[in-house]
C-alpha cells in the first residue's frame, strides 16, 4: 500500500472505515468528487480551525497544503502534509511525492492520510488511515499534547467524510 511506502514508521495513527453498497468504481468516483463540507460537523470544525468551509473535495485539499502523494485508481489515494500542526498557523511546508519521504526538518512533523477501498463486488469497504511521524523529541512532545486534544475531533471529521462518500457512492449506484 502507498501509505506503507511513504510512512512505514510513525508515532501516532488513527483508522476508520465504513461499508458501502456500491462498486469500487463508484466509491472511487465519490471519494474524488464528494464535497466534504456538505457535513455541518466538518464545516463547523473547519471553521474553528480557520480552514475553508465552502466546497472542499480531496483535490481542493491542496488549498490547505495537503498534497497528493500517490493514487491507485479504484483502490487508494494518499495525501501528505508537513508542518508544526500544533501551532496556530501550522508552519506548513511545501511537500510533494518527490520530497516527502526525505523531509526531515527538526521540530516538525509529517502526516499521511490514506483512503483505501477493499472488495470487488457491490459491498465494499472504504477505510481511512492517518499516520503522523514526529521528526525529533521536541515535535513528539508538542504533537503528543496536541493529539490528545484534537484526536476526538479528527476522528469525527474522518467518520463524517466516510459517511459523505458513502452517500454519494450509493446514490450513483441507482
Amino acid at each position: 500500500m502507498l501509505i506503507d511506502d511513504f510512512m512505514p514508521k510513525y508515532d501516532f495513527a488513527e483508522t476508520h472505515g465504513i461499508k458501502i453498497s456500491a462498486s469500487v468504481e463508484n466509491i472511487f468516483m465519490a471519494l474524488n468528487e464528494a464535497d466534504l463540507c456538505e457535513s455541518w460537523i466538518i464545516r463547523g470544525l473547519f471553521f474553528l480551525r480557520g480552514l475553508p468551509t465552502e466546497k472542499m473535495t480531496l483535490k481542493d485539499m491542496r488549498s490547505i497544503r495537503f498534497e497528493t502523494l500517490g493514487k491507485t485508481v479504484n483502490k487508494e489515494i494518499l495525501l501528505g502534509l508537513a508542518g508544526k500542526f500544533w501551532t496556530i498557523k501550522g508552519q506548513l511546508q511545501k511537500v510533494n511525492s518527490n520530497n516527502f519521504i526525505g523531509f526531515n526538518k527538526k521540530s516538525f512533523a509529517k502526516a499521511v492520510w490514506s483512503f483505501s477501498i477493499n472488495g470487488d463486488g457491490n459491498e465494499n469497504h472504504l477505510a481511512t488511515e492517518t499516520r503522523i511521524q514526529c521528526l525529533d523529541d521536541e515535535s513528539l512532545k508538542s504533537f503528543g499534547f496536541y493529539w490528545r486534544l484534537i484526536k476526538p475531533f479528527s476522528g469525527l471529521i474522518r467518520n463524517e467524510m466516510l459517511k459523505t462518500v458513502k452517500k454519494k457512492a450509493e446514490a450513483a449506484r441507482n
Side-chain angles (χ1 to χ4, degrees), residues 61-114:
M61 299 289 279
R62 293 188 78 187
S63 71
I64 55 175
R65 281 284 169 89
F66 277 93
E67 290 294 330
T68 302
L69 300 178
K71 184 184 288 193
T72 305
V73 175
N74 297 332
K75 199 78 173 148
E76 183 179 15
I77 296 174
L78 183 69
L79 304 175
L81 182 69
K84 294 184 179 184
F85 313 127
W86 52 93
T87 65
I88 298 290
K89 299 253 183 203
Q91 295 184 38
L92 301 177
Q93 305 294 293
K94 182 114 177 99
V95 293
N96 57 44
S97 60
N98 296 319
N99 68 6
F100 185 85
I101 293 171
F103 182 86
N104 198 24
K105 272 189 183 177
K106 284 186 177 267
S107 74
F108 281 81
K110 54 187 180 178
V112 289
W113 186 12
S114 78

Side-chain angles (χ1 to χ4, degrees), residues 137-155:
D137 290 340
E138 178 187 331
S139 62
L140 182 63
K141 183 178 175 184
S142 296
F143 186 82
F145 177 74
Y146 171 74
W147 188 243
R148 281 189 292 273
L149 295 174
I150 64 103
K151 186 177 180 187
F153 303 105
S154 173

Side-chain angles (χ1 to χ4, degrees), residues 6-44:
F6 279 87
M7 191 174 289
K9 295 179 183 174
Y10 48 93
D11 300 298
F12 302 90
E14 174 178 21
T15 60
H16 302 277
I18 195 167
K19 287 189 181 205
I20 302 178
S21 297
S23 68
V24 293
E25 294 83 7
N26 281 353
I27 296 170
F28 195 76
M29 178 271 310
L31 182 58
N32 281 286
E33 295 177 4
D35 177 2
L36 305 174
C37 286
E38 281 181 15
S39 162
W40 65 269
I41 293 172
I42 293 174
R43 251 189 343 270

